Amino acid sequence: MTVFAAVQRSSDEAVLPSREARLAYRGGKDGSTAGVANGFVQGNLAILPEKLAGAFHRFCQLNPKPCPIIGMSDVGDPRIPALGLDLDIRTDVPRYRVWRDGEVADEPTDIMNYWRDDLVAFVLGCSFSFEEALMEEGLPIRHIEQDVRVPMFRTNIACKPSGPFAGPMVVSMRPFKPADAIRAVQVTSRFPSVHGAPVHLGHPHLIGIKDIAKPDYGDPVPVADDEIPVFWACGVTPQAVIANAKLPFAITHAPGLMLITDLRNKQLAVL
């Protein structure tokens, strides 16, 4: 199930940059997906047993800023044709996280050995999709310039709970000069299905971030004296929620290492 039309077959499907990227990761390539397969939608991943899928689906509906659903698998099916005709949830992410009782138990490059017939995969919108639009406006993206993962932080912003799912919103941060920050708000407002406009600008301590140089996920990037940190809701939020709920078993992507789909970023723009 997905809120977008399925990708269509085309004669050049085999050479789509998105498919080439997935094949590379399927073959064992590692590393951040920021800036990879420009023009194509990337997604956060959360895989849960069917008995928890309903509560998680409602959690996403209650918290659409950090958890916008762009695709969902059938029970036990590792494929989501609407996001990629040959996409395989078990192999096509550079690195996964396997969670047991709220702790990371493994970080494999595929989850073939962990896949079960009762699992449901959720793909959530990722801010990497709106970064393309920001760069087209000439706005610099610091973590792409430095070839590192975007910095992400747990906040004191509470998500609306659903069943066992409750906890803090995670945000991603990009520094901008004030005028550029205003333009970034305007640009990203056009992409509500990939987090939309920022949730906070400046003053990290007001949302519970003690040290901007020490992200909870990803890598630190410098914030210049004439810049302000700009914070967007982040699809890593389920990882904080899964840790908080101490679920017996769950699988996510490793932060910053996303699922690349065959959807086009331009399909997500509302204006």
Side-chain angles (χ1 to χ4, degrees), residues 21-237:
R22 286 199 304 275
L23 290 174
Y25 296 126
R26 193 179 300 175
K29 179 182 177 182
D30 205 346
S32 171
T33 57
V36 175
N38 283 330
F40 291 88
V41 174
Q42 299 193 25
N44 302 276
L45 185 63
I47 302 173
L48 300 161
E50 181 184 12
K51 64 182 180 180
L52 294 172
F56 184 76
H57 189 272
R58 185 170 183 270
F59 176 82
C60 294
Q61 291 177 318
L62 292 171
N63 300 279
K65 287 287 281 187
C67 300
I69 297 175
I70 61 172
M72 182 177 171
S73 76
D74 291 329
V75 180
D77 189 348
R79 304 184 187 280
I80 307 178
L83 300 183
L85 295 174
D86 74 331
L87 183 151
D88 191 329
I89 288 295
R90 302 169 298 180
T91 59
D92 293 359
V93 171
R95 189 166 294 275
Y96 300 80
R97 280 186 165 180
V98 179
W99 297 78
R100 295 192 185 278
D101 301 318
E103 300 289 337
V104 177
D106 193 10
E107 289 195 323
T109 56
D110 70 67
I111 53 169
M112 297 295 291
N113 292 334
Y114 292 103
W115 189 257
R116 305 184 334 204
D117 290 340
D118 68 332
L119 295 179
V120 179
F122 294 83
V123 181
L124 310 177
C126 170
S127 56
F128 289 176
S129 289
F130 66 59
E131 289 180 344
E132 178 186 27
L134 292 174
M135 290 187 290
E136 286 179 352
E137 291 289 322
L139 301 178
I141 308 297
R142 187 68 39 79
H143 65 273
I144 293 179
E145 292 176 338
Q146 298 193 346
D147 193 25
V148 296
R149 294 179 298 168
V150 63
M152 294 162 275
F153 303 85
R154 289 191 296 269
T155 71
N156 59 12
I157 304 171
C159 292
K160 295 177 181 177
S162 173
F165 301 103
M169 181 187 296
V170 174
V171 296
S172 60
M173 187 279 290
R174 296 159 187 80
F176 290 106
K177 295 180 179 179
D180 287 345
I182 294 171
R183 185 59 184 147
V185 172
Q186 295 170 330
V187 170
T188 57
S189 295
R190 299 173 52 226
F191 296 89
S193 56
V194 286
H195 307 307
V199 295
H200 188 75
L201 287 80
H203 300 302
H205 67 279
L206 294 179
I207 55 172
I209 298 172
K210 295 180 180 180
D211 189 345
I212 199 71
K214 295 181 179 179
D216 295 297
Y217 313 93
D219 301 303
V221 298
V223 180
D225 291 341
D226 62 346
E227 294 177 329
I228 60 173
V230 182
F231 300 93
W232 279 266
C234 178
V236 171
T237 297

